[in-house]
Amino acid sequence: MSLQPDTLLELSPLLRMQWEEAQQRYVILYPEGMIELNETAAAILELCDGQHNLTSIVEKLERKYDASGIESDVREMLESALNNGWIREIIAH
Amino acid sequence: MAGSEKSSLTKPRWLLAELTYACPLQCPYCSNPLDYARLGDELSTEEWRRVLSEARALGAVQLGLSGGEPLTRRDLAEIVTHARQLGYYTNLITSGYGLDEVRIAELKSAGLDHIQVSIQSPEKLLNDELAGTESFEHKLEVARWVKQHGYPMVLCVVIHRQNIHQMQQILEMADELGADYLELANTQYYGWALLNRDHLLPTREQFAEAEAIAQSYKEKVKGRMKIYYVVPDYYEDRPKACMNGWGTTFLTIAPDGMALPCHAARELPGLNCPSVRDFSIREIWYESAAFNRFRNYGWMKEPCRSCPEKEKDFGGCRCQAYLMTGDMADADPVCSKSPHHHRVLEAIASTQRSASDKPLFFRNARNSRALTG
Ligand code: SF4
Ligand code: SF4
């Protein structure tokens, strides 16, 4: 699936992302399973809040980490999240 | 067990809370112990709240509320509310029997994350016969309500010889109901299922055919329905990595408060599983003899002890080893390296013969008392 840079993204309502104190990391919870997220993945997915798209996620993260040229990594991560059903696109009607 | 070992032990991640053994259905493959009707008082609401809090503090995050039929507990919503406040991801594992829309909405606002409804068969006649109760239409309705109320819907069908030929219809039913997840759980042979094994174990051919149908359907529903396929280990030549390793990940609390490393562990003699009425979850997880009994590899006998695969499957299932060899420290006889592997082959052979000379035992209180007197 290829991602449009201006499509708003949100976490799938079928799962939950939360901080786990015992594991000192963010996790994604869904029926029968759990994915432990690394810091980068968590930072990207946190911005999938229905208010951001690929472009604005990249901007925010470049500012936050004082980095540049991260777009292709972010895109790759988001596309795989999309394919796994962790996030979905908000298509305007 | 010394406190210094704690740091090397993993924390529980999954808590299975078996709230009650009461159930209006009578499935002949039920995983509850045969003697369930003789077991003691159920934990109170207050005791469950404490168990949930203590396990959460230790690291448990996935919570299964099962039974029996958990809906028979009147304090279910109260327990769910507490679980949600603690941050659990909460799964109600139910037959759907007795669930109505009001209760579904009530549980949703209490914070329940998802509902797993089990259906015995896509055909009314067989469903009602296996459940021992007329329940088919009601279950379908419950599955639709679950969806309508915004829960992820997990449909569970236990697979065995009576319904394995309906694989295609099972898949179509799940798709039609809009299931987000379909769990096709081949029967595991403990408790009632072991007692009824000659009626339940499919033949190798039936199993292979059903698996092929399920696998090709997986492709068809990719992206809208996830299919979990639990293989019947009798037809494998290596055992499953049972419970992801004893005392590493899973913690089950039985209705009477007994803490079990796996929900079938109650059948193991001399294990003396501790009760949450006597100990904290922390003491149980780290210090009890039962939870330490099969941790790591020191307890193993040959052929597991010197086997290069022991880190992959941990020697398989302790309950299956005990039930088929009489020694819970033996290799799981599913393994082709086990000197008892022929017992599995014999079970398979005996299932090919007619099963009609033995009665089918339904899971109910009368049978429980009669069988375990
Ligand atoms: S397997 Fe059937 S009889 Fe056993 S608890 Fe579940 S619904 Fe009840
Ligand atoms: S011998 Fe034991 S450890 Fe090796 S594969 Fe068989 S069950 Fe697993």
Side-chain angles (χ1 to χ4, degrees):
Chain A
M1 225 178 283
S2 154
L3 191 63
Q4 299 303 312
D6 55 352
T7 308
L8 295 175
L9 300 168
E10 67 178 2
L11 220 55
S12 160
L14 297 186
L15 46 81
R16 200 160 93 211
M17 179 172 152
Q18 72 183 28
W19 173 256
E20 273 305 288
E21 193 59 34
Q23 305 178 47
Q24 289 295 303
R25 62 167 85 229
Y26 279 95
V27 298
I28 286 181
L29 297 161
Y30 57 95
E32 319 278 319
M34 165 164 67
I35 296 154
E36 303 180 356
L37 299 170
N38 61 31
E39 208 187 317
T40 331
I44 297 172
L45 291 175
E46 256 196 309
L47 289 169
C48 296
D49 54 2
Q51 312 291 322
H52 292 81
N53 55 32
L54 172 63
T55 310
S56 64
I57 290 175
V58 170
E59 271 171 26
K60 274 223 167 143
L61 292 176
E62 293 197 282
R63 235 177 303 135
K64 181 171 168 191
Y65 293 106
D66 196 16
S68 60
I70 64 170
E71 170 159 355
S72 68
D73 288 346
V74 175
R75 170 186 284 279
E76 200 183 314
M77 153 77 210
L78 286 173
E79 282 178 353
S80 94
L82 206 53
N83 281 325
N84 284 314
W86 302 352
I87 58 171
R88 63 182 192 184
E89 298 173 294
I90 304 181
I91 312 286
H93 293 287
Chain B
M1 180 67 28
S4 60
E5 294 223 358
K6 282 185 191 179
S7 56
S8 66
L9 291 183
T10 55
K11 298 165 177 179
R13 291 271 190 275
W14 293 70
L15 174 63
L16 181 66
E18 295 182 330
L19 298 179
T20 178
Y21 285 133
C23 184
L25 304 193
Q26 313 181 32
C27 310
Y29 49 74
C30 183
S31 63
N32 288 161
L34 287 179
D35 61 350
Y36 80 90
R38 297 177 181 277
L39 298 173
D41 285 351
E42 287 180 9
L43 294 182
S44 66
T45 317
E46 215 26 69
E47 287 171 310
W48 276 118
R49 289 164 64 95
R50 175 174 69 79
V51 165
L52 262 42
S53 300
E54 290 179 1
R56 179 71 184 132
L58 229 52
V61 56
Q62 283 277 0
L63 172 66
L65 299 174
S66 80
E69 176 48 71
L71 292 168
T72 61
R73 290 275 309 211
R74 287 167 186 273
D75 54 359
L76 183 61
E78 215 178 313
I79 292 172
V80 169
T81 304
H82 186 63
R84 183 65 190 89
Q85 279 163 0
L86 293 168
Y88 278 107
Y89 189 75
T90 308
N91 171 17
L92 178 69
I93 301 165
T94 176
S95 70
Y97 196 79
L99 199 52
D100 59 24
E101 247 192 304
V102 175
R103 199 137 186 230
I104 290 180
E106 178 199 22
L107 290 168
K108 181 90 190 170
S109 57
L112 185 66
D113 289 292
H114 71 110
I115 299 184
Q116 175 183 315
V117 181
S118 66
I119 295 188
Q120 279 70 9
S121 158
E123 260 173 29
K124 174 177 164 52
L125 214 64
L126 184 58
N127 177 88
D128 293 354
E129 188 192 321
L130 288 169
T133 310
E134 192 174 330
S135 53
F136 183 66
E137 281 92 1
H138 180 53
K139 281 164 178 279
L140 294 185
E141 197 163 29
V142 166
R144 294 196 188 97
W145 288 332
V146 165
K147 243 343 236 191
Q148 281 161 19
H149 284 262
Y151 291 100
M153 201 254 281
V154 186
L155 200 68
C156 174
V157 182
V158 176
I159 306 294
H160 44 70
R161 195 162 71 225
Q162 314 290 325
N163 67 4
I164 194 164
H165 62 285
Q166 301 176 328
M167 183 56 79
Q168 184 68 29
Q169 292 153 269
I170 291 171
L171 292 156
E172 282 162 9
M173 171 183 71
D175 202 9
E176 193 266 320
L177 290 170
D180 298 291
Y181 297 84
L182 172 63
E183 190 171 314
L184 296 168
N186 276 285
T187 305
Q188 310 278 321
Y189 295 96
Y190 313 100
W192 295 86
L194 183 63
L195 192 68
N196 291 312
R197 187 174 61 191
D198 281 350
H199 292 273
L200 297 175
L201 185 65
T203 65
R204 192 182 293 273
E205 292 71 31
Q206 286 175 315
F207 165 63
E209 193 190 331
E211 193 185 19
I213 295 172
Q215 295 300 351
S216 76
Y217 212 85
K218 250 186 193 170
E219 280 305 302
K220 189 177 157 201
V221 293
K222 214 172 160 191
R224 65 171 191 270
M225 179 167 93
K226 283 211 175 80
I227 300 180
Y228 295 127
Y229 195 81
V230 181
V231 300
D233 56 1
Y234 276 40
Y235 290 117
E236 304 286 307
D237 58 7
R238 288 291 177 270
K240 56 187 182 287
C242 189
M243 295 289 116
N244 193 36
W246 185 272
T248 66
T249 315
F250 289 92
L251 169 63
T252 296
I253 308 296
D256 60 351
M258 188 170 272
L260 307 167
C262 122
H263 68 270
R266 200 164 197 139
E267 304 191 56
L268 297 175
L271 194 61
N272 294 325
C273 287
S275 168
V276 299
R277 286 187 162 133
D278 304 321
F279 300 98
S280 70
I281 299 291
R282 175 173 289 278
E283 289 167 318
I284 288 170
W285 185 259
Y286 289 114
E287 282 151 30
S288 72
F291 278 75
N292 281 304
R293 180 75 175 78
F294 299 111
R295 276 186 172 136
N296 301 314
Y297 307 99
W299 55 272
M300 283 183 170
K301 309 201 319 191
E302 292 299 351
C304 297
R305 182 180 284 270
S306 60
C307 176
E309 292 172 69
K310 66 183 176 193
E311 287 170 37
K312 239 196 291 174
D313 61 35
F314 317 105
C317 170
R318 297 303 90 227
C319 305
Q320 193 145 272
Y322 169 69
L323 291 170
M324 296 185 86
T325 79
D327 181 347
M328 55 184 172
D330 271 337
D332 186 330
V334 159
C335 183
S336 62
K337 295 186 186 182
S338 156
H340 302 100
H341 185 59
H342 62 94
R343 305 236 163 113
V344 174
L345 301 178
E346 280 156 22
I348 292 173
S350 112
T351 200
Q352 323 277 343
R353 295 192 290 269
S354 159
S356 56
D357 48 339
K358 272 196 212 166
L360 185 64
F361 283 101
F362 283 91
R363 177 258 198 226
N364 57 43
R366 191 163 33 89
N367 278 338
S368 171
R369 292 219 168 76
L371 287 162
T372 60

